[in-house]
Amino acid sequence: PPGAAVPAGELMVKGYAWSGGGREVVRVDVSLDGGRTWRVARLGGERPVPGRAWAWALWELRAPVA
């Protein structure tokens, strides 16, 4: 939830991104500080065949938390 406190260490954040319009998801940017800084998440799962895109993709991000 927004504003939740987490212990110091490493945080694993996971989710899915939806592109809409049949376009491929090529990148997911995640902010853990309200938009001041951004990190690029790793896309997971199967990658689309060139010329064929799915509308969503799984992603994950490991980030240090102070």
Side-chain angles (χ1 to χ4, degrees):
V6 295
E10 188 173 77
L11 179 68
M12 171 64 82
V13 183
K14 296 181 180 184
Y16 66 92
W18 177 44
S19 66
R23 296 188 195 112
E24 177 184 357
V25 175
V26 296
R27 179 176 160 154
V28 174
D29 295 318
V30 180
S31 176
L32 300 174
D33 58 9
R36 287 191 302 268
T37 61
W38 294 87
R39 296 176 181 269
V40 178
R42 184 180 74 78
L43 294 175
E46 296 180 42
R47 300 302 301 146
V49 175
R52 294 179 58 197
W54 293 296
W56 61 274
L58 298 173
W59 60 266
E60 66 181 31
L61 172 73
R62 286 186 189 272
V65 176

